[in-house]
Amino acid sequence: MHSALAWGPWRHSEGRVAPADSTAGGPHAEFRRAWRSESSAAPRNADGRGDSRWPLAVLNMNNCNNTDDKKDEKKGDDKKEEKKEEKKEEKKEEKKEEKKEEKKDEKKKDEKKDDKKKEEPPKAVWIMDPATDTYYNWLFTISVPVFYNLMLLVARSCFNELQMNNVTLWLVLDYSSDALYWLDTFVRTRTGFLEQGLLVKDSKVLKDNYVKTLQFKLDVLSMLPTDLVFLKIGLHNPEWRFNRLLKLGRLFELFDRTETRTNFPNIFRIGNLVLYIIIIIHWNACLYFAISKTLGFGSDTWVYPDINKPEFGRLTRQYVYCLYWSTLTLTTIGETPPPVQDVEYLFVVIDFLTGVLIFATIVGNVGAMISNMNAARAEFQAKIDSIKQYMEFRKVTKDLEIRVVKWFDYLWTEQKTCDEKQVLRNLPDKLKAEIAINVHLETLKKVRIFQDCEAGLLVELVLKLQPQVFSPGDYVCKKGDIGREMYIIKEGKLAVVADDGVTQFVVLGDGAYFGEISILGIKGSKAGNRRTANIRSVGYSDLFALSKDDLMEALTEYPDAKHALEEKGRSILMKDNLIDENLMAASDAKELEDKVCRFEANLEVMNVKFRKMAAHYESYERKLKQRLANMENQVRTLRADE
C-alpha cells in the first residue's frame, strides 16, 4: 500500500522494534529519529518491555496524503475561501446598506410629496348647500318628473287607449325623467350637510354619507332599467316602471321646505291636503277601471259599462266616470251601484275604510288649520271681553268705554296687536338685537343726544324701546309731570298745546322726539326733571318710549357715554337759557354733602368692624396664652415624675 516506503527488518532497541527504511534521507529519516528519541524516553512496562504505543503517529509522513506541502496548500485555500466569504459578506452588507439608504430616500421623497399635497390647496369641488335657493329650485325641478310618474304611470297602465295613442310622447317624457333621476343622484352625492355647525364640503365624505343612507338604496332601485323588459313584451306595459315611484321622498321634501318658506303656511297646508286627497281619488279611479277591465266591461252592474257603446267608449268619459265613482266611494256619500262578485265587495270595503280615514283626516286638519288662523283673533277678542267686563263691573263712564273699544279696534285694524317681546322670546339674544337694530336703530339715531354714542350703547337702548299707541285727544305728558320717559314719534301727529288743551303752539310729526333732557337729570336745570309742556295726540299716534331706569341701566356699562350725554344735555339747556348756576352750585354742594355723609357712614361701619376684629383678636390671644400655660404645667409634672 505504501509503495514509497521499503520497510526492512525490525530492529530491537530497548525492547522496541523500529522500522528500517531504505531511504536514508528525506522525511523518513526524520521520522525515525523522532521515533527513537521518543522510544528512549518512554517508560517501561512491568515485564521490562517498552510501551508499544506510537505517540508520534501524527507525524506519519506518507507521500500519499500527509505531506506538509499539501497542508500548506490547504491552509492557503482555506484562507482564500475565508477571504472570498468575507468579501461576499462585505458585499452583502454594502447591498443591505444601499437598500436601506434607498428606502430612506424613498421615504423622504414620499414625505416631500405628502408635504406638497398638504401645502397645495384642495381642488375646488362643486357642492350643493341645502340652505340655498339653488337647492330649493332643484327640489322643484326634480319634483316635476316624480309627480309625472306618480300621476301618469298608473293611468297609462290602466287606460290602454291613453298609452297607445301617445307612445312617442311617453317615451320622451319617460327617458327625460330618467335623465333627471340620474342627475339627482349625482346632486345627492354632492349635497352638503352640517357637522359641528359647519358645512361639510369633502366630496368623498359626502359620497360615503349618502351611500350609507336608506335613500341611496331607494334611488338605486328607482333607476333600475326595468324598461329592458319592453324588448320582449312590448312598449305598452308602463307598469314595469313603477319602481320610479321610489323617488317620492323628493316631493315630500319640497312640500316641507315650501311650508317653512311661505308666509301663508295655513293656506299651503290646506292646499297640500287637498292635493293628497286628489291623488288618492285618482289612483282609486284607475284601480276601479283596471278591475272592471279584468272582470269584463259591462259584465255586471258594478263594473264600468261596456266600452263598445259609443257613450262609454271615449277616453275622457272613461276617466271622468271612474273619477266620479271614486269620489263618491271615498267620501262615503254612497249612491253607487252595489257590488256583485266577491272581489268587488272586497274592493268596496277597502275603499270605504280608506274613505273614513280620509274624511277624519280632512275634518281634523282643516279644523286645526282654521283654529290656528283664528287663534290671534280669538286671543284678541278675549282681551276685549275681559276689559269690557272690568269696565262694566267698575261702572266706567260710557264715553271712556267707547274710547277704549275704539283703541282696541285701531290696534286690530292696523295689525298692531302682537307683543314684540312675546313674539321674539324664542330667538337668541343676538338675533333679537339684529331685528331690533334693523327696525328701530335709524329712529333712535334721529335723537340729537344719541347721534355720537357708541354702537354698543345704541344696541342696548334699541332693545329697551317700548312701542306705545295713543288715541286721539290723549295727553302723552302734561306740564309739571315728573319725566320718567322720553318719546320718539314713529307715526302720527302730536301737538304742543296750552293749558286749555285747545291752543296749539307746534305740531310734531314722524321722527320727532321729546323728553330726552328730563330723563338725564341734568344738574342746574331750572325745570329739574319736570315736564315743561303739554303734548297731546292729534289722531292715533305710534310712539317709542325709553324709560329713565332703562337708560341709566344701560349707561352703567358706558360711563364715558353717560358723561358725554350729560354734557350734551347741559349744552342744550345753556343754549335755551335753562341752566341756573346757583342751582348747579347748590346741587354740587348737596352732592358733596351727600358724599361726605356716605363717607362718614362707611367710616363708622369700618370702625365697628375694626372694633369687632380687635375684640376677636384679644379673645384669641387670651385663649392661646391659657393653652401655653397648661402645656407648661403638664411638662413640669412629667419631669417631676421622672
Side-chain angles (χ1 to χ4, degrees):
M1 182 175 179
H2 300 281
S3 59
L5 291 174
W7 291 95
W10 290 89
R11 298 177 184 176
H12 185 267
S13 175
E14 296 179 350
R16 304 183 71 175
V17 180
D21 191 358
S22 60
T23 306
H28 301 288
E30 184 180 353
F31 173 76
R32 285 194 298 274
R33 283 194 300 271
W35 181 83
R36 285 172 183 157
S37 62
E38 289 292 333
S39 60
S40 61
R44 299 280 181 175
N45 292 331
D47 56 359
R49 301 176 70 176
D51 192 357
S52 61
R53 290 175 299 175
W54 290 57
L56 295 178
V58 293
L59 297 176
N60 186 8
M61 298 296 181
N62 289 333
N63 288 332
C64 61
N65 57 359
N66 288 327
T67 60
D68 290 339
D69 294 336
K70 288 183 178 180
K71 284 185 178 181
D72 293 338
E73 289 177 0
K74 284 183 180 181
K75 288 180 181 179
D77 293 339
D78 292 340
K79 287 181 180 179
K80 287 180 180 178
E81 289 177 357
E82 288 178 358
K83 287 181 180 180
K84 288 180 180 179
E85 289 177 357
E86 288 178 357
K87 288 180 180 179
K88 288 180 180 179
E89 289 177 357
E90 288 177 357
K91 288 181 180 179
K92 288 181 180 179
E93 289 178 357
E94 289 178 357
K95 288 181 179 179
K96 288 181 180 179
E97 290 179 356
E98 288 177 357
K99 288 181 179 179
K100 287 181 180 180
E101 290 178 357
E102 288 177 357
K103 288 181 179 179
K104 288 181 180 179
D105 294 336
E106 289 178 357
K107 286 182 179 179
K108 288 181 180 179
K109 289 179 180 178
D110 293 337
E111 289 177 356
K112 288 181 180 178
K113 288 180 180 178
D114 293 337
D115 293 337
K116 287 181 180 179
K117 288 181 180 179
K118 290 179 180 178
E119 290 175 359
E120 291 177 357
K123 295 181 179 178
V125 179
W126 177 80
I127 300 296
M128 178 74 82
D129 186 353
T132 59
D133 291 337
T134 306
Y135 183 76
Y136 178 77
N137 294 334
W138 173 251
L139 277 180
F140 184 83
T141 303
I142 191 60
S143 296
V144 172
V146 173
F147 191 75
Y148 157 75
N149 288 321
L150 177 63
M151 298 299 290
L152 290 177
L153 278 181
V154 64
R156 290 161 52 194
S157 300
C158 298
F159 296 91
N160 295 335
E161 187 179 349
L162 178 66
Q163 169 66 22
M164 294 177 181
N165 292 345
N166 305 282
V167 175
T168 305
L169 175 63
W170 301 136
L171 288 175
V172 172
L173 293 177
D174 285 347
Y175 294 115
S176 298
S177 66
D178 288 351
L180 287 173
Y181 274 30
W182 282 95
L183 185 59
D184 181 61
T185 303
F186 171 74
V187 171
R188 280 188 180 274
T189 61
R190 294 296 179 86
T191 300
F193 63 92
L194 294 179
E195 189 176 64
Q196 298 181 352
L198 299 174
L199 183 68
V200 177
K201 296 184 177 180
D202 190 337
S203 58
K204 187 177 182 302
V205 174
L206 296 178
K207 182 180 177 181
D208 294 341
N209 181 69
Y210 171 55
V211 169
K212 293 177 183 177
T213 60
L214 174 63
Q215 189 59 49
F216 170 73
K217 299 178 180 64
L218 296 178
D219 290 346
V220 171
L221 292 175
S222 69
M223 293 184 299
L224 290 177
T226 53
D227 303 45
L228 296 176
V229 180
F230 295 165
L231 299 175
K232 187 173 182 181
I233 63 176
L235 295 174
H236 304 305
N237 295 277
E239 60 272 9
W240 284 94
R241 291 180 54 84
F242 272 21
N243 61 320
R244 271 59 173 179
L245 299 179
L246 295 175
K247 276 274 189 182
L248 278 176
R250 280 302 207 186
L251 191 62
F252 297 142
E253 186 178 357
L254 174 68
F255 291 158
D256 291 339
R257 288 185 176 268
T258 304
E259 184 178 349
T260 304
R261 284 169 165 251
T262 182
N263 293 326
F264 306 99
N266 290 315
I267 296 175
F268 177 78
R269 293 186 192 111
I270 293 174
N272 202 13
L273 180 62
V274 171
L275 178 64
Y276 288 152
I277 293 170
I278 291 173
I279 292 172
I280 294 172
I281 292 174
H282 167 77
W283 271 71
N284 191 57
C286 295
L287 292 176
Y288 169 72
F289 190 81
I291 292 174
S292 298
K293 181 170 59 175
T294 304
L295 298 177
F297 296 116
S299 60
D300 56 46
T301 57
W302 183 83
V303 298
Y304 185 81
D306 189 2
I307 60 173
N308 294 322
K309 296 180 181 180
E311 183 182 357
F312 300 103
R314 292 182 297 110
L315 176 62
T316 306
R317 171 55 66 89
Q318 293 173 7
Y319 179 73
V320 171
Y321 182 94
C322 295
L323 191 68
Y324 172 75
W325 182 93
S326 177
T327 304
L328 289 179
T329 306
L330 291 178
T331 54
T332 65
I333 295 174
E335 297 182 5
T336 57
V340 177
Q341 302 183 36
D342 294 341
V343 176
E344 297 170 0
Y345 275 106
L346 182 61
F347 182 72
V348 171
V349 168
I350 295 173
D351 268 9
F352 281 156
L353 292 176
T354 307
V356 170
L357 294 176
I358 291 174
F359 184 75
T361 304
I362 292 172
V363 172
N365 281 277
V366 172
M369 292 172 192
I370 293 174
S371 298
N372 291 333
M373 292 172 69
N374 294 330
R377 178 63 186 178
E379 183 180 357
F380 183 73
Q381 192 63 45
K383 291 180 181 178
I384 296 177
D385 294 341
S386 62
I387 290 292
K388 285 180 179 179
Q389 291 175 3
Y390 175 80
M391 290 189 295
E392 185 178 357
F393 176 72
R394 293 298 181 184
K395 309 297 182 184
V396 176
T397 61
K398 198 68 177 177
D399 204 19
L400 182 57
E401 185 177 345
I402 292 172
R403 288 175 57 196
V404 171
V405 172
K406 285 184 177 180
W407 183 80
F408 272 108
D409 288 341
Y410 169 78
L411 291 182
W412 179 256
T413 304
E414 299 297 324
Q415 298 181 353
K416 296 177 181 179
T417 57
C418 67
D419 185 355
E420 291 187 5
K421 288 188 176 180
Q422 188 72 13
V423 172
L424 301 177
R425 65 177 179 174
N426 295 323
L427 293 178
D429 293 338
K430 290 293 183 183
L431 285 180
K432 285 182 186 177
E434 288 186 19
I435 291 176
I437 289 169
N438 189 273
V439 175
H440 304 313
L441 186 59
E442 292 301 322
T443 303
L444 189 64
K445 283 183 176 180
K446 294 177 182 178
V447 183
R448 282 184 297 173
I449 60 173
F450 297 135
Q451 287 176 352
D452 298 327
C453 289
E454 298 179 40
L457 176 61
L458 291 178
V459 172
E460 291 281 340
L461 296 178
V462 158
L463 292 172
K464 298 180 184 300
L465 290 178
Q466 299 294 329
Q468 294 184 6
V469 178
F470 291 89
S471 301
D474 289 347
Y475 278 95
V476 179
C477 62
K478 288 187 176 182
K479 189 175 182 180
D481 291 346
I482 296 175
R484 296 187 177 91
E485 294 173 322
M486 69 163 292
Y487 296 94
I488 305 170
I489 302 174
K490 179 186 178 185
E491 185 180 5
K493 300 290 183 181
L494 298 179
V496 180
V497 298
D499 294 337
D500 59 4
V502 177
T503 307
Q504 295 184 358
F505 298 116
V506 67
V507 176
L508 305 177
D510 298 352
Y513 56 89
F514 55 92
E516 72 278 10
I517 302 299
S518 61
I519 65 173
L520 288 174
I522 305 298
K523 298 175 185 178
S525 174
K526 293 180 180 180
N529 60 346
R530 302 282 180 171
R531 301 294 188 189
T532 58
N534 301 312
I535 299 180
R536 193 173 187 178
S537 178
V538 177
Y540 286 101
S541 304
D542 295 342
L543 280 67
F544 288 120
L546 178 63
S547 68
K548 181 177 181 179
D549 295 337
D550 289 338
L551 176 62
M552 293 305 165
E553 182 183 353
L555 289 175
T556 53
E557 303 294 334
Y558 299 92
D560 295 338
K562 181 180 180 180
H563 180 70
L565 288 175
E566 289 176 350
E567 288 298 326
K568 284 185 179 181
R570 189 174 291 108
S571 63
I572 292 170
L573 290 175
M574 289 180 71
K575 286 181 181 179
D576 297 337
N577 197 21
L578 295 176
I579 287 288
D580 190 345
E581 294 182 358
N582 295 328
L583 288 175
M584 187 183 297
S587 62
D588 289 340
K590 187 177 180 180
E591 184 178 356
L592 181 60
E593 185 178 354
D594 292 339
K595 287 182 179 179
V596 171
C597 291
R598 287 197 298 271
F599 178 75
E600 289 177 350
N602 292 333
L603 184 61
E604 184 64 27
V605 172
M606 291 178 65
N607 287 332
V608 172
K609 290 182 178 180
F610 179 75
R611 285 195 294 270
K612 288 182 179 179
M613 289 176 62
H616 284 302
Y617 176 74
E618 290 176 358
S619 175
Y620 178 75
E621 190 177 11
R622 285 196 301 271
K623 290 179 181 179
L624 187 61
K625 287 181 179 180
Q626 185 64 35
R627 290 176 64 187
L628 289 173
N630 293 336
M631 291 177 66
E632 288 178 357
N633 292 332
Q634 290 177 0
V635 171
R636 289 173 184 170
T637 304
L638 291 172
R639 287 179 179 176
D641 292 341
E642 290 177 358

